[in-house]
């Protein structure tokens, strides 16, 4: 069985973050995946450009693809510039891919990218989450729960 990566990814520089994902989805598992990028895409990301707000990942023929992620064209790129919204291949171990495929196929889970970042070795990585979609009432309950926990922590600080 694929082992989820430790919570402490050594994130050096976060480029793009999908903050809405944590609100819209109940996150079960997180994975760190490499991305197959072209040179101009890497340069564009190094300048801090890129967005994964409406993106998702899917498993096709034993490969995982990041769909709809927007990495804008590199400003100094010439005719070799990349297409901003092309599907990008995510690099994971075969064991992890089959586990993700099983979860998506059987349990109706979704693969949501949480962030794109450069690790300590300077490699571009995607933090991928295996998540379940939340209904509107679940979102409200989740908000209430978060507010209550925050309130509890505040009360404990003031009276402790």
């Amino acid at each position: 069985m694929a082992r989820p990566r430790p919570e402490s990814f050594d994130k050096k520089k976060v480029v793009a973050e999908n903050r809405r994902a944590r609100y819209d989805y109940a996150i079960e598992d997180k994975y760190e995946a490499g991305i197959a990028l072209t040179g101009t895409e890497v340069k564009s990301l190094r300048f801090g450009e890129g967005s994964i707000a409406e993106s998702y990942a899917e498993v096709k023929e034993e490969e995982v693809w990041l769909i709809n992620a927007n990495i804008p064209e590199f400003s100094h790129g010439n005719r070799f510039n990349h297409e901003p919204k092309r599907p990008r291949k995510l690099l994971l171990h075969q064991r992890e891919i089959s586990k993700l495929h099983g979860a998506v196929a059987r349990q109706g889970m979704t693969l949501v990218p949480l962030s794109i970042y450069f690790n300590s070795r300077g490699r571009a990585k995607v933090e991928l989450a295996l998540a379940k979609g939340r209904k509107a009432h679940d979102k409200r309950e989740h908000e209430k729960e978060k507010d209550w926990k925050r309130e509890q922590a505040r009360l404990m600080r003031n009276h402790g």
Side-chain angles (χ1 to χ4, degrees):
M1 200 160 103
R3 186 167 46 95
R5 297 289 159 93
E7 197 54 45
S8 60
F9 295 140
D10 46 345
K11 289 186 183 183
K12 262 276 199 317
K13 180 181 173 227
V14 176
V15 179
E17 205 172 1
N18 189 353
R19 306 209 20 208
R20 186 108 182 120
R22 293 179 199 282
Y23 176 72
D24 287 338
Y25 298 95
I27 289 155
E28 309 263 318
D29 257 346
K30 291 181 189 167
Y31 295 91
E32 180 181 39
I35 335 171
L37 297 171
T38 65
T40 51
E41 286 172 326
V42 175
K43 286 180 177 179
S44 207
L45 284 175
R46 287 220 188 273
F47 275 107
E49 295 173 348
S51 130
I52 52 171
E54 299 96 37
S55 64
Y56 61 96
E58 66 181 20
V59 183
K60 268 196 229 154
E61 291 132 39
E62 318 244 323
E63 292 179 339
V64 182
W65 294 86
L66 182 62
I67 312 290
N68 213 13
N70 185 26
I71 300 176
E73 287 192 342
F74 182 54
S75 53
H76 303 302
N78 49 16
R79 65 174 193 265
F80 299 113
N81 231 330
H82 63 276
E83 197 181 309
K85 284 208 171 192
R86 76 178 182 88
R88 294 170 178 92
K89 188 174 174 180
L90 295 181
L91 312 170
L92 287 150
H93 291 284
Q94 199 58 52
R95 222 192 281 112
E96 291 175 320
I97 293 174
S98 53
K99 184 180 180 192
L100 293 174
H101 180 67
V104 168
R106 282 193 298 278
Q107 299 153 5
M109 310 272 274
T110 314
L111 289 175
V112 188
L114 297 178
S115 62
I116 294 181
Y117 59 93
F118 287 100
N119 68 4
S120 56
R121 293 177 56 196
R123 301 266 192 247
K125 300 286 184 183
V126 174
E127 188 179 8
L128 201 60
L130 196 55
K132 249 192 175 95
R134 280 200 181 114
K135 307 267 187 297
H137 61 88
D138 292 340
K139 290 179 190 175
R140 281 195 294 274
E141 250 161 62
H142 182 68
E143 272 311 294
K144 275 185 204 159
E145 203 173 294
K146 258 183 17 190
D147 289 345
W148 170 237
K149 280 187 180 149
R150 198 178 302 121
E151 184 73 16
Q152 268 181 326
R154 197 177 59 78
L155 290 169
M156 293 300 278
R157 271 197 311 271
N158 291 344
H159 297 296

